[in-house]
Amino acid sequence: MHRKSISNASLWMKGNTILETNLIETEDTSIANEWINILSFPTKEGHRTETTLVNHYLSHQTAEDIFTIDIAEDYKIEEHIKISSGTHLFHCLDNFGIIHYHSSTFEDDKLNALSIKKLNVVFKHFKNSIIASLNQLKLEKEIAISKEKTREIDMISKFALQNPYPVMRFDGDGELIFGNDASQFILPHFEELKWAYATMFKKTLALNEMKVYEQVIHNKHYAFTVRPIQQYNYVNVYGMDISSRKIVEQKLKDEKEKAERLANIKMEFLSTMSHEIRTPMNSIIGSINLLFDSHLNDYQHKKLNMMQFAADNLLRLINEILDFNKLEANKVNLEKIRFSLTETLENVFAMHIDNAEKKNITFELELEKIPVEYVVGDPTRLSQILLNLISNAIKFTDKGGVKVNVQSTFKNDYSIVYEFKVIDTGIGISKEKINNIFQAFTQEDTSTTRRFGGTGLGLSISKKLVNLLEGSLDVESEIGKGTSFIAKIPYQISPNQEKEEKKKRRQVNIDPQQDLRNVDVLLVDDNEFNVLIATEFLSRWHANIITARNGQEAIDQLKSNNESIKIILMDLQMPVMDGFEATEMIRSFEKDYYKNLPIIALTADVTSDDIHGIENKGFNDFASKPFDPEKLLKKLLQYI
């Protein structure tokens, strides 16, 4: 066959043959069943996958290994695969390769059957040469693998022999191949659990992923690393005695638990002490409120105001210390409920109007940009943050006023960020102190504490709460001109933006002469001082007072008074049966009287977790102790 009669030629090899012989450097096992173009003439382009083309040619194969195809006109079998016209000669090399010659001459007599017959002996010798070459390549690959394996074994052996820690090698069935001296102590363990380790090793080899685990063997802690050598079907296991580390870890764990216990003891102590201090404080403030309703001269009225200021200040300090310790002990639980932002802001604003009016300063609420009213978050913590910031602003402002500005700074389909800015025209904060203003027990200077009072915990509490809400709290200030606190808090947007119709309370215009005449009030409290103060006010309002010392006595009184009781004042923390349990039991009774009977919770700590969602726990409302007589009377009249 003359070279001039050949337009082009190709050599195709089966992928699995290529992988077995390293004919091409590749680790792509997906080519195993593909036909790969190894050589091309005259283009010299190779290493292309041409399975579709080769299979098309093979579909015309006769029973012989050497056959021809005559094609009169060009055609395509796929958009990018063209079959050229002319004469095509194929020599099949068993199942591993194909040689292809192409002449552009249709029915070329130089590639006819006679020519093929003459070339048959040549092709046979050529085929045998190729097979010999491939076998040589296979042998060379096996030798290379063997050398690599030997080198790797030598390396691991040297490493293992010199290693003071256990080094072992196992096959996929858990059979030991090698173990150094340091491993002899633990090898019986691997032999005993051979079935379990065989499963682990097979899985590790299949995934070709290292596995790290810890195991106690003969009262010693070991850390093991299983490294699969997939091509040789074995795993190397490296061990390390970590008993000393475990002892240290256990000591650290014990110390951590000890610290947590001490923190809990501290928290319980503060909670108990705050409750014990609040109880007489409530009585003192209640007594002061009772004295205000008596006939006083100017001197007595002045001294009583001083007593009330001191008592209120002490109670506020107790609450701040308790809040701070809850935050320090990570005992604050956050709610994620749907709430109205504008309604929450208006309620917070309303709570400070009287304080601003008493100081004769302006107080404004600006809602500039509120694109979403209903959000998902913790309204109680937002209120607590704003109450602290606004209280501080009013406290430190004698001239001018305080402004609360709220706007959105970011919004997408699912979330929104609101900026709450509290601006005052008060005394301001110096540049030297502004960086420390959020530290606990810190105020601008000691004269501030003497002049305005306080613990210096309010801003620290606000900062920690904002951080818990994944927001930020910053401050801008200038001495003599005022201060701005800027809180940015992210919220989820509630899918439901429809305004809910809340159950309206009966609006009552309280007449000075209006009272609780002929109204049976059940007062439930275990503290004699609290009962004494509450009874004094209820008596002044001409209520019929029925008392109970715990929840069980309250239920007994309800049953024995034949539905005459119109409202209940229920303390939350009591012996025998607390207020929560008693209220839940009352609401479980079948009669509508028990389900609709107004129950107002009495609590000394309005920031506690117990008050969150109080209306969902069976109560209609709550009143804080010590209670403001006018506010309590108004609340009672709203429900009866």
Side-chain angles (χ1 to χ4, degrees):
M1 183 172 20
H2 199 275
R3 177 178 173 182
K4 290 183 179 179
S5 65
I6 302 301
S7 301
N8 55 72
S10 299
L11 171 61
W12 293 302
M13 300 291 288
K14 203 69 173 179
N16 53 11
T17 301
I18 292 171
L19 293 171
E20 288 173 1
T21 60
N22 263 3
L23 197 58
I24 299 174
E25 290 187 7
T26 179
E27 294 182 0
D28 184 6
T29 57
S30 65
I31 68 169
N33 295 314
E34 304 288 344
W35 284 105
I36 310 299
N37 188 319
I38 298 298
L39 294 172
S40 289
F41 170 82
T43 60
K44 296 183 180 179
E45 292 181 5
H47 305 176
R48 299 191 309 272
T49 301
E50 296 182 342
T51 305
T52 303
L53 176 63
V54 175
N55 286 337
H56 176 73
Y57 287 138
L58 289 175
S59 67
H60 296 82
Q61 183 182 5
T62 60
E64 302 295 329
D65 288 340
I66 302 173
F67 64 96
T68 60
I69 305 173
D70 293 312
I71 298 172
E73 294 181 357
D74 294 351
Y75 66 90
K76 290 184 178 182
I77 58 172
E78 286 186 7
E79 185 177 348
H80 62 286
I81 301 177
K82 175 186 174 184
I83 306 298
S84 301
S85 62
T87 303
H88 297 262
L89 172 65
F90 300 93
H91 180 202
C92 296
L93 309 172
D94 294 338
N95 293 321
F96 63 82
I98 298 173
I99 301 173
H100 169 230
Y101 302 97
H102 171 235
S103 170
S104 57
T105 304
F106 179 66
E107 295 182 347
D108 191 339
D109 57 358
K110 293 178 181 177
L111 296 179
N112 57 20
L114 182 61
S115 299
I116 292 172
K117 189 175 182 180
K118 292 178 180 179
L119 292 170
N120 195 26
V121 176
V122 176
F123 277 143
K124 187 175 181 180
H125 285 298
F126 182 59
K127 173 183 173 181
N128 291 335
S129 298
I130 291 177
I131 291 172
S133 298
L134 291 175
N135 288 334
Q136 179 67 26
L137 288 171
K138 286 182 182 179
L139 181 60
E140 288 177 0
K141 182 177 180 181
E142 289 174 1
I143 292 171
I145 290 173
S146 178
K147 287 182 178 179
E148 176 64 23
K149 192 170 184 179
T150 302
R151 189 188 66 81
E152 207 271 338
I153 289 172
D154 289 342
M155 182 186 71
I156 191 68
S157 298
K158 289 178 182 178
F159 168 75
L161 291 171
Q162 297 171 0
N163 199 316
Y165 297 112
V167 179
M168 298 159 286
R169 173 171 291 169
F170 296 90
D171 64 17
D173 295 321
E175 294 290 344
L176 179 68
I177 298 174
F178 171 83
N180 68 351
D181 291 341
S183 67
Q184 301 306 308
F185 180 71
I186 61 174
L187 280 178
H189 165 80
F190 284 87
E191 184 63 30
E192 184 180 350
L193 297 176
K194 179 179 175 180
W195 59 273
Y197 282 108
T199 303
M200 179 201 292
F201 297 156
K202 285 177 181 176
K203 185 176 180 181
T204 305
L205 284 165
L207 297 174
N208 197 26
E209 292 179 354
M210 282 202 307
K211 181 176 178 62
V212 179
Y213 71 99
E214 294 182 5
Q215 182 73 46
V216 178
I217 303 175
H218 303 312
N219 297 321
K220 286 189 175 184
H221 288 268
Y222 288 90
F224 291 104
T225 300
V226 181
R227 180 174 176 264
I229 311 298
Q230 199 175 48
Q231 62 266 40
Y232 305 135
N233 194 36
Y234 63 71
V235 297
N236 291 331
V237 180
Y238 307 98
M240 179 177 287
D241 186 345
I242 58 170
S243 300
S244 300
R245 190 183 81 190
K246 283 293 181 181
I247 292 172
V248 174
E249 286 178 357
Q250 188 60 46
K251 286 182 179 180
L252 290 173
K253 183 181 177 182
D254 293 342
E255 290 298 322
K256 181 175 178 289
E257 290 176 354
K258 182 180 177 181
E260 289 174 349
R261 284 196 302 271
L262 290 173
N264 288 332
I265 292 170
K266 175 186 173 185
M267 188 68 206
E268 290 172 7
F269 171 76
L270 287 169
S271 297
T272 303
M273 287 303 298
S274 66
H275 179 75
E276 294 301 321
I277 295 172
R278 278 195 185 104
T279 300
M281 282 302 304
N282 293 337
S283 301
I284 292 168
I285 294 173
S287 300
I288 292 171
N289 288 329
L290 286 171
L291 287 172
F292 270 121
D293 286 345
S294 63
H295 298 289
L296 302 171
N297 58 38
D298 290 343
Y299 177 79
Q300 291 170 330
H301 199 276
K302 180 180 178 181
K303 293 300 180 185
L304 210 54
N305 275 327
M306 292 172 62
M307 290 172 63
Q308 186 179 43
F309 175 80
D312 288 342
N313 196 49
L314 180 57
L315 196 61
R316 186 175 68 254
L317 299 184
I318 294 167
N319 290 335
E320 284 187 352
I321 292 171
L322 187 62
D323 280 345
F324 179 76
N325 278 280
K326 282 182 181 178
L327 287 163
E328 286 289 293
N330 295 319
K331 295 291 185 180
V332 175
N333 296 319
L334 297 179
E335 284 187 312
K336 293 198 82 172
I337 60 172
R338 176 181 179 270
F339 71 96
S340 167
L341 184 71
T342 54
E343 184 180 324
T344 302
L345 293 170
E346 287 169 358
N347 289 338
V348 171
F349 180 75
M351 293 176 70
H352 288 284
I353 292 175
D354 290 343
N355 293 334
E357 288 179 350
K358 286 177 182 178
K359 296 194 73 174
N360 197 28
I361 59 174
T362 61
F363 186 39
E364 303 173 58
L365 174 62
E366 291 183 348
L367 305 179
E368 286 188 2
K369 186 182 175 186
I370 309 293
V372 176
E373 179 174 356
Y374 289 95
V375 295
V376 177
D378 193 328
T380 305
R381 299 307 174 190
L382 173 61
S383 299
Q384 190 175 356
I385 292 164
L386 294 178
L387 285 172
N388 276 336
L389 297 179
I390 295 170
S391 295
N392 268 2
I394 293 174
K395 180 168 69 172
F396 294 115
T397 302
D398 293 327
K399 293 180 181 180
V402 174
K403 183 191 296 182
V404 180
N405 177 276
V406 183
Q407 61 178 334
S408 165
T409 59
F410 170 83
K411 178 182 177 295
N412 60 24
D413 293 339
Y414 308 102
S415 60
I416 188 167
V417 176
Y418 276 112
E419 179 186 83
F420 306 90
K421 185 179 289 188
V422 180
I423 308 163
D424 67 57
T425 58
I427 62 174
I429 306 167
S430 66
K431 291 181 179 180
E432 293 77 16
K433 299 290 184 179
I434 202 166
N435 292 330
N436 301 322
I437 201 67
F438 293 116
Q439 292 182 5
F441 307 103
T442 299
Q443 289 190 337
E444 215 280 325
D445 58 32
T446 53
S447 63
T448 303
T449 306
R450 290 194 298 271
R451 180 181 170 191
F452 296 99
T455 59
L457 286 175
L459 289 178
S460 178
I461 290 170
S462 296
K463 180 72 171 178
K464 289 179 181 292
L465 287 174
V466 170
N467 289 341
L468 279 176
L469 295 172
E470 298 181 351
S472 64
L473 180 59
D474 299 303
V475 58
E476 299 171 357
S477 187
E478 189 174 345
I479 286 288
K481 291 189 177 181
T483 304
S484 296
F485 284 94
I486 305 102
K488 293 181 180 179
I489 302 175
Y491 290 102
Q492 295 177 17
I493 296 175
S494 172
N496 179 14
Q497 290 295 315
E498 293 183 10
K499 189 172 184 179
E500 294 180 354
E501 290 294 330
K502 291 193 174 182
K503 186 177 178 181
K504 293 183 178 179
R505 297 175 180 173
R506 184 165 63 88
Q507 297 298 313
V508 179
N509 295 319
I510 298 179
D511 189 297
Q513 302 301 320
Q514 193 172 8
D515 55 24
L516 301 174
R517 199 177 305 273
N518 299 323
V519 176
D520 289 357
V521 178
L522 176 58
L523 174 63
V524 189
D525 200 317
D526 64 314
N527 185 272
E528 293 182 7
F529 292 109
N530 292 339
V531 173
L532 180 65
I533 297 299
T535 299
E536 181 70 26
F537 280 111
L538 291 170
S539 297
R540 291 188 181 189
W541 301 330
H542 305 290
N544 300 325
I545 307 161
I546 302 164
T547 60
R549 295 181 62 84
N550 56 61
Q552 184 59 57
E553 287 187 15
I555 291 171
D556 295 339
Q557 289 286 10
L558 278 175
K559 291 180 177 179
S560 64
N561 277 275
N562 298 320
E563 302 183 9
S564 65
I565 293 171
K566 301 302 181 186
I567 195 166
I568 301 176
L569 291 173
M570 179 81 74
D571 188 30
L572 297 180
Q573 305 298 331
M574 295 177 292
V576 183
M577 181 185 292
D578 63 28
F580 294 105
E581 189 178 351
T583 300
E584 183 180 1
M585 188 171 291
I586 292 168
R587 297 305 189 201
S588 69
F589 296 152
E590 291 184 3
K591 287 187 178 182
D592 290 341
Y593 166 75
Y594 297 107
K595 297 185 186 302
N596 298 324
L597 180 64
I599 304 177
I600 297 176
L602 296 176
T603 177
D605 184 10
V606 296
T607 64
S608 72
D609 293 335
D610 293 337
I611 297 303
H612 292 171
I614 193 77
E615 294 178 354
N616 297 323
K617 299 174 183 177
F619 296 91
N620 296 83
D621 208 332
F622 73 90
S624 60
K625 295 189 290 186
F627 52 79
D628 182 293
E630 184 179 344
K631 290 181 180 178
L632 179 62
L633 176 58
K634 185 176 180 180
K635 191 163 288 191
L636 290 169
L637 291 171
Q638 284 174 335
Y639 285 103
I640 60 175

